[in-house]
Amino acid sequence: MYSFLPFILSIFLLAGFIFLKKNYRGKEIFLQNSVDQLNLEKIALQRELASRDEIVYQLEKELLEIRKINLELSEKVDREDRENLALRNLLEGLQKKQSSKNEDIVVEYVFKQ
């Protein structure tokens, strides 16, 4: 009876070892799949980030163009305001020199385009 005891214990140890080995292998496969999934998500996020960086670059480029146009238009408005002020001053000066202020003074202004 004692001779079968080491044999039975070795069978139990072998069965336990096989069970633990399969359990460890399953965990290893699960973890490897999780790592692969995370790598794929990382690649997808990097592509999305690159795409969004390109969109941001285009929007910044458009913003610079809009600011340039806005600056040109504000310069044009300022120039026209100065011209209008000069014309008003000219009209006021002509009205002061004229004897009757009731008559309208007509000044032709030629626009350059």
Side-chain angles (χ1 to χ4, degrees), residues 78-111:
D78 288 342
R79 185 175 56 247
E80 289 178 357
D81 284 344
R82 286 192 306 267
E83 288 176 1
N84 285 337
L85 182 61
L87 286 175
R88 283 190 193 121
N89 290 337
L90 178 65
L91 285 174
E92 288 175 5
L94 288 175
Q95 284 178 348
K96 286 179 184 177
K97 288 183 179 179
Q98 192 178 31
S99 60
S100 71
K101 293 186 178 183
N102 293 337
E103 296 179 18
D104 291 334
I105 297 175
V106 178
V107 177
E108 286 189 32
Y109 181 70
V110 179
F111 291 99

Side-chain angles (χ1 to χ4, degrees), residues 70-81:
N70 191 9
L71 182 62
E72 290 172 356
L73 289 176
S74 65
E75 287 175 356
K76 183 177 179 181
V77 166
D78 288 342
R79 185 175 56 247
E80 289 178 357
D81 284 344

Side-chain angles (χ1 to χ4, degrees):
M1 176 155 176
Y2 290 116
S3 63
F4 289 114
L5 186 62
F7 178 70
I8 292 174
L9 285 174
S10 65
I11 289 177
F12 280 128
L13 287 174
L14 182 63
F17 177 73
I18 291 173
F19 173 75
L20 290 175
K21 185 177 179 183
K22 284 187 179 184
N23 189 19
Y24 176 76
R25 182 69 181 145
K27 286 181 183 179
E28 183 182 13
I29 290 172
F30 173 75
L31 292 175
Q32 185 62 41
N33 288 340
S34 296
V35 168
D36 292 342
Q37 179 72 24
L38 289 174
N39 285 337
L40 289 175
E41 289 175 7
K42 180 182 173 183
I43 291 170
L45 289 174
Q46 286 174 341
R47 288 180 183 163
E48 184 177 344
L49 183 61
S51 171
R52 290 186 181 198
D53 282 345
E54 181 65 28
I55 291 170
V56 167
Y57 174 74
Q58 291 297 327
L59 289 174
E60 286 176 347
K61 189 176 177 182
E62 289 176 11
L63 179 64
L64 288 175
E65 290 174 8
I66 289 171
R67 284 185 178 171
K68 181 181 176 185
I69 292 170
N70 191 9
L71 182 62
E72 290 172 356
L73 289 176
S74 65
E75 287 175 356
K76 183 177 179 181
V77 166
D78 288 342
R79 185 175 56 247
E80 289 178 357
D81 284 344
R82 286 192 306 267
E83 288 176 1
N84 285 337
L85 182 61
L87 286 175
R88 283 190 193 121
N89 290 337
L90 178 65
L91 285 174
E92 288 175 5
L94 288 175
Q95 284 178 348
K96 286 179 184 177
K97 288 183 179 179
Q98 192 178 31
S99 60
S100 71
K101 293 186 178 183
N102 293 337
E103 296 179 18
D104 291 334
I105 297 175
V106 178
V107 177
E108 286 189 32
Y109 181 70
V110 179
F111 291 99
K112 294 181 183 178
Q113 292 183 6

